[in-house]
Amino acid sequence: MSDEEQPENENGHGPRQHKPVVVVVEPETPGNVGTIARAMKNFGLYDLKLVDPPEFDPDGEAYGFAGHAREDVLPNAETVTFDEVVENYHTVGFTGITNESSYSHDRFPFKTPVELKEDLKRVDTQTALVFGREGKGLNNDELRRLDEVASIPADGRYPILNLGQAATVTLYELRDLTVEETQLPDVEHARAPEQDIERFYDFFEQFLENSHFPEHQRDRTRLMMRRLVGRAHPTDREINTLLGLFRRANEQLEERGELLDELDREDRWNH
């Protein structure tokens, strides 16, 4: 059943217009993919996307573990690239290993699934829940490209959950957003299209270059901005205002640079 076919209750509440999609990056064990497909159907989700998946034998573990999800979720799973996920969705990556310092933004700040649910209640956007490999999970380079990070609270002596378990726990906690019987508060606003948000990041990157921001600080600054915008869920109007602001700033900085070149004057900020 597609998002558009999902009914709402008489009060206009019910599942979000855009239900989350579930993405699994380079799964190794077909049984885990089947478990995830089953959990998705349990909690009202049907859109499964796989990055570099193994082949699934119709008589193998994936279909065996999928239960009734073998009829729809699993056979309709779409193979995608990591780039496609980042470009088209508000992304939430899941990790069992977190940082506890604001100086390391690869895995900090992070949300629990319950906190993520409360956040997504307030905004309707195309969200991808991104899970990593069984052995290594998502690496730091991948996490840097995602908008938010989430982690399931567990015993600190052994915080790493099995891939299928992690997805099941997460989808259970998000069930208020995905099952038809749950009454939900009205959506406060719709998040701006991801393509426009990515354009903002491009403008911000150009701004860092035009303003001669110290190169050794740029990676951390880019990541901090992505995390900030990821939590803020900007609206169309907000992101368009930011695009206009940074477009104007970049044009002025470029014109300033051209004038300094014409006057053969040194730019005192370019150190």
Side-chain angles (χ1 to χ4, degrees), residues 15 19 53 61 223:
K19 289 190 176 185
E61 281 189 357
L223 190 54

Side-chain angles (χ1 to χ4, degrees), residues 180-239:
E180 295 171 14
E181 294 78 11
T182 300
Q183 300 226 350
L184 296 173
D186 291 335
V187 175
E188 292 183 4
H189 71 263
R191 179 181 163 101
E194 295 306 311
Q195 293 85 348
D196 289 343
I197 295 175
E198 288 298 320
R199 283 178 61 214
F200 165 72
Y201 294 139
D202 291 340
F203 279 20
F204 183 68
E205 171 68 26
Q206 186 180 356
F207 176 77
L208 293 178
E209 181 176 347
N210 290 341
S211 63
H212 305 299
F213 194 80
E215 289 194 20
H216 69 278
Q217 297 180 21
R218 291 186 189 181
D219 285 344
R220 178 177 293 176
T221 303
R222 291 187 199 100
L223 190 54
M224 288 173 62
M225 178 61 74
R226 182 174 285 273
R227 292 289 185 258
L228 176 63
V229 174
R231 298 196 303 273
H233 298 302
T235 63
D236 265 338
R237 183 174 181 179
E238 290 168 339
I239 204 68

Side-chain angles (χ1 to χ4, degrees), residues 76-97:
N76 292 325
E78 179 185 11
T79 299
V80 297
T81 66
F82 192 86
D83 287 342
E84 288 173 335
V85 174
V86 171
E87 291 167 4
N88 291 288
Y89 293 89
H90 168 61
T91 50
V92 183
F94 287 80
T95 178
I97 300 173

